Amino acid sequence: MAKPLIQLALDSLDFDQTLSLAEQTAPYVDIFEIGTPCIKHNGVELVRTLREKFPNKLILVDLKTMDAGEYEATPFYAAGADICTVLGVSGLATIGGVIKAARAHNAEVQLDLINVPDKAACARAAAELGAQIIGVHTGLDAQAAGQTPFGDLQEIADLGLDVRISVAGGIKPATIDQVVKAGADIIVVGAAIYGAPCPATAAKQIRQLVDGTIGSPHQTLILNKIKSILEATDDNLPVKLTHMLDNAKRVYVSGAGRSGLVCRFFAMRLMHSGYDVSVVGEIVTPSIKKGDLLIIISGSGETEQLIAFTKKAREVGAQICLISAKGGSTIGEMADEVIQVGASDQYVKVVGMPMGTVFELSTLSFLEALVSHLIHEKGIAEEVMRYRHANLE
């Protein structure tokens, strides 16, 4: 079975915003739908522009034609539309008119079942006339009342018609698997993409879910967020931190809370890599001296206890490196080097990644990649690392 196509609903009235959204999401979607409000406001010129800019994408014009089917659809097919929609409630004469216009331009017709009382009968009749796509559509007003398209989708899929089935109506990452399993050939996504902080990232997530290249929506959320943070991190920072590690007599690491757990993870890997490393706060940790390196992991750079550690390290002349979500902070002002993981504006509230999770997991990934860099640069064999690993446990 072929993978479903992803259709993005372009619903903005603004011409330039519509083009910008299309450009951002083009790598991940198959069909650009010019939504009904958008096409009413911008007209046929938007079809021509999208056709010129995206010659390899399908363009659907959501006319929702109710009357004068052939007359209304013809100029949009002529401008480059691959698909135009006609309302099922319009009647067979109007549906037939749009089909005639489509055939004249070697294009397709989508029947929209929105508000059709007997959806199965309408779908059968339209398919017999020659409609290639049946659209199961729960409109915005119906969505606001709590309706979903899933029951109707199953009903139309069970008919076994020789058509493609399109489904629209509040589709989001959490419901993609349900839509695919129900038999949709085209999945229409709107607000879940254009309403996201980063439409390109949201579109990519939908693409991966449809293609089955990653796990659950929640796994996708976390992986995509970490990836975006690491992509925004300066590529030169691992080299700088490696230089500081190699020039230090001894290495000390410290962090509070979950960042402290990341510190311990990093300390173990440094020990495996051959560095003389200690975790601040352990009863066997020796005093820090000039020539040593203190690495602080703190998302805010403002934790009181870590500020005190930093001040003490400065007093004795030790080098200080802060790994943080911020470029400027109290600890950062005292540090010799600030490793900013990601950009400050990426650390907004993310539902499902609460209370610092974004920074902690991104930092863990950043530091593990740094260790991978060390292993390759220094040619450290895994057998050597295993030899250094604790054997009293």
Side-chain angles (χ1 to χ4, degrees), residues 172-178 181 204-206 208-210 212-225 352:
K172 52 191 175 182
T175 58
I176 289 293
D177 187 57
Q178 181 181 358
K181 288 179 179 177
K204 183 177 181 180
Q205 178 187 10
I206 297 290
Q208 291 173 324
L209 288 168
V210 169
T213 55
I214 53 173
S216 72
H218 308 293
Q219 292 171 344
T220 303
L221 167 72
I222 293 171
L223 292 173
N224 283 342
K225 187 61 181 179

Side-chain angles (χ1 to χ4, degrees), residues 216-259:
S216 72
H218 308 293
Q219 292 171 344
T220 303
L221 167 72
I222 293 171
L223 292 173
N224 283 342
K225 187 61 181 179
I226 293 173
K227 183 174 184 292
S228 70
I229 294 288
L230 296 181
E231 286 176 343
T233 303
D234 187 345
D235 291 337
N236 293 318
L237 294 179
V239 176
K240 291 182 179 179
L241 182 50
T242 301
H243 181 75
M244 296 185 81
L245 287 167
D246 289 343
N247 284 276
K249 294 178 181 177
R250 296 174 299 178
V251 179
Y252 295 74
V253 295
S254 185
R258 284 162 54 103
S259 291

Side-chain angles (χ1 to χ4, degrees), residues 262-286:
V262 175
C263 273
R264 290 172 177 270
F265 190 107
F266 185 44
M268 175 182 279
R269 283 288 185 250
L270 290 178
M271 179 270 291
H272 290 157
S273 301
Y275 292 92
D276 184 350
V277 59
S278 298
V279 176
V280 176
E282 298 291 337
I283 59 173
V284 294
T285 299

